[in-house]
Amino acid sequence: MDLAAMSDESRQSKPKALAQPCAKPSLWARFKKWLFGRSDSPGSAQQSIPYKEMLKDGICRVNDRLYTKTVTFSDVSYQLTQNDEKSAIFDSYCNFLNYFDASISVQFTFVNKRINIADFIRSIDIPAKDDKFDDIRKEYSDVLKGQLEKGNNGLVKAKYITFGVEADSIKEAKPRLERIEADVLANFKTLGVSARSLNGTERLEVMHSQFHPDGTEKFAFDWRDIPSTGNGTKDAIAPTSFNFGDGRTFRMGTHYGATSYVQILAPELSDRLLADFLDLTSPVTINMHIRSIDQTEAIKMVKRKLSDLDSMKITEQKKAVRHGYDMDVLPADLVTYGKEAAALLNDLQSRNERMFLVTFIVMNVAPSKRQLENDIFAAAGIVQKHNCSLRRLDYQQEQGLMSSLPLGLNQIEIQRGLTTSSTAIFVAIDLLGAKLFTPNKPSSYAIVRHIMDGRHKAYFALTG
């Protein structure tokens, strides 16, 4: 008997396998889809935090291809300088932004946060040294503590820049990040700005302070505890819970929060917008996600827009001829857009200007919902004063919160195209660290105590 034929017969006589019904999703997956709108939603607060691994040297593997580092910096005294000096500082900031090409994602984070008052009081306390100046030290400490109770020194301001590159592995990403880090620190040094890179523990501490905005819970983490406890880096920073059930606000532990984006409508931007935000007396986090567009692509894009506008002009002129009126009379918007597009093309081709896609996110956090609405109202007033608009991120609160972390990850696809000078106008602000201003009434002199990087300096200056 033919073996091949027998094999065919055996295959034919073998009963066909019945089609298996599709496996139904689990009860938990169906519940998450009903609750969050998708079945792959995170099942814990730790899973909500959008990074995969934080390394000791400060490099964060955000996803399979994105690796980021963070640098903290202070600012030059921009608002108090003369106009000539302002122009020089502004030009330097423009050159600094132009350094980032299309392969580098950049995020500026400005945090107005509360700190532990007890720790802050200890930081301004001057210990006795058993000499004849102890009475002066005690009196000075008491004056500072009195001013602390009257003023708004429970809030401190911090500034970070996070940059990231895409790579296939940490081995490929690390040398590129180190080169960018060295260039960023050198650019800050040229500007006269003190800056330093954050290690992994410091980056975790920054996110811990954002997830615990009241400042009472201290950050406690040690890399050596990971093998013995089994807890990861996210366990050290995550709040007790997240609740994104409301489309316009969210719960983070015991606090309420909301994220919004700034709709930039003003034809001219002011250098006071960001400074006014950080002058608020409530916790707020400002984020600017910046992505450079390749110069050639930017010029092509503007030229395409000009061609579209010219086509619309021709259509309007043909319509005018058919209706028997002057063909030079065009819609005002069409004329305005044409002039602006031509000016933008000229800036890109003849000036030191690049095109950036900017996402401007504002996050407010408060202990109660009423206080949160009041804080958002105050922030909206500042934006309105500068002819812009503050829009709530409806049903994108989780994405807005995670985009407010200094991880270099932007999950909000709302972008505004800005040139280099329009982008740099937000960055040049006047914040030199935590300051305590104490009036000396008998002599009309002001005692200014400057606290930065753990160092204390006292200045005596005439007021007015």
Side-chain angles (χ1 to χ4, degrees), residues 246-262:
D246 186 357
R248 294 176 59 83
T249 60
F250 62 87
R251 288 288 300 274
M252 186 169 58
T254 60
H255 281 68
Y256 293 85
T259 55
S260 312
Y261 72 96
V262 177

Side-chain angles (χ1 to χ4, degrees), residues 344-355:
L344 176 58
L345 180 62
N346 181 62
D347 289 343
L348 294 176
Q349 289 181 325
S350 61
R351 296 179 58 192
N352 190 25
E353 296 280 347
R354 294 179 65 93
M355 179 69 77

